[in-house]
Amino acid sequence: AQTVTQSQPEMSVQEAETVTLSCTYDTSESDYYLFWYKQPPSRQMILVIRQEAYKQQNATENRFSVNFQKAAKSFSLKISDSQLGDAAMYFCAYRSWGVAAGNKLTFGGGTRVLVKP
Amino acid sequence: EAQVTQNPRYLITVTGKKLTVTCSQNMNHEYMSWYRQDPGLGLRQIYYSMNVEVTDKGDVPEGYKVSRKEKRNFPLILESPSPNQTSLYFCASSPGQVGSYGYTFGSGTRLTVV
């Protein structure tokens, strides 16, 4: 079974600065998907960014980018030019490639991001 | 608007009193799933459904039931709730075919069992 680990329970960043959230995962599969979700105080789960494991190029979405290291099984999220609205819980998630896996998302424990004005 | 609708948003109940949390999606998604969120553990899958009348257990199914009689609805049933089922629950849906789809999540149900 796959596992996802987020080793930083909480991170603090100054507004306009950059913060990097760590995520490592354990899998024996070669094809899979990785995601970062944001959960603000409203509790809504918002997809921030996704990465297909077969793609070597790191995904980017505006101020959000990832550093995907397949061999190291690492998938970190970088938030640039942090804004007050970025304050939230962030979850890293893994999804297997095949339909037989049931489309399950396996989540890490989460990292809370605090943004200081 | 494409969405997953969960109700209720908050629920306080007593041990042993059966309850149902409803979930409905308007995107014609084949796949639906229930997760529970607990501090430090992230979200864990309870049950999932690949299509109508097709359901299966996730990682933490004990104490829960589900049904999928219609494509759009996927209710979560707690026959005899216990305090260890106090948690934040999410329903989610996605297209059935394989792809880098994220999930569309409902807004969550905060359940407290006393």
Side-chain angles (χ1 to χ4, degrees), chain B residues 32-80:
Chain B
M32 298 186 75
S33 183
W34 278 100
Y35 289 83
R36 62 177 287 172
Q37 181 181 344
D38 300 290
L41 299 178
L43 284 77
R44 294 175 293 168
Q45 190 183 57
I46 302 170
Y47 268 95
Y48 66 93
S49 169
M50 297 295 283
N51 214 321
V52 177
E53 301 292 0
V54 180
T55 63
D56 207 348
K57 296 177 181 178
D59 295 323
V60 288
E62 293 77 20
Y64 305 95
K65 285 177 56 177
V66 293
S67 67
R68 188 92 181 271
K69 293 183 172 58
E70 305 166 283
K71 196 172 187 178
R72 62 183 294 126
N73 296 323
F74 190 47
L76 179 69
I77 303 159
L78 284 72
E79 294 269 1
S80 182

Side-chain angles (χ1 to χ4, degrees), chain A:
Chain A
Q2 293 80 26
T3 59
V4 178
T5 302
Q6 294 178 247
S7 59
Q8 307 150 317
E10 187 174 285
M11 295 287 283
S12 184
V13 62
Q14 204 72 33
E15 196 175 6
E17 297 293 310
T18 295
V19 63
T20 299
L21 310 184
S22 300
C23 173
T24 59
Y25 56 94
D26 186 26
T27 184
S28 58
E29 300 173 336
S30 57
D31 293 316
Y32 47 87
Y33 307 98
L34 296 165
F35 305 86
W36 279 99
Y37 278 87
K38 172 185 178 181
Q39 186 181 52
S42 67
R43 300 189 325 216
Q44 188 66 40
M45 293 289 287
I46 303 166
L47 179 62
V48 174
I49 199 165
R50 75 190 81 192
Q51 174 83 41
E52 292 90 344
Y54 64 85
K55 291 185 177 178
Q56 293 188 344
Q57 185 174 6
N58 290 323
T60 62
E61 289 286 343
N62 301 314
R63 297 181 295 106
F64 297 87
S65 62
V66 298
N67 183 3
F68 174 49
Q69 301 289 327
K70 190 172 184 179
K73 298 179 182 177
S74 171
F75 183 60
S76 61
L77 175 70
K78 184 170 79 171
I79 308 173
S80 303
D81 185 25
S82 297
Q83 302 175 358
L84 294 178
D86 295 333
M89 181 73 83
Y90 287 82
F91 292 99
C92 178
Y94 173 105
R95 175 179 167 180
S96 294
W97 178 271
V99 175
N103 286 6
K104 183 176 81 170
L105 276 176
T106 300
F107 287 85
T111 297
R112 183 171 302 283
V113 172
L114 306 173
V115 181
K116 298 178 180 178

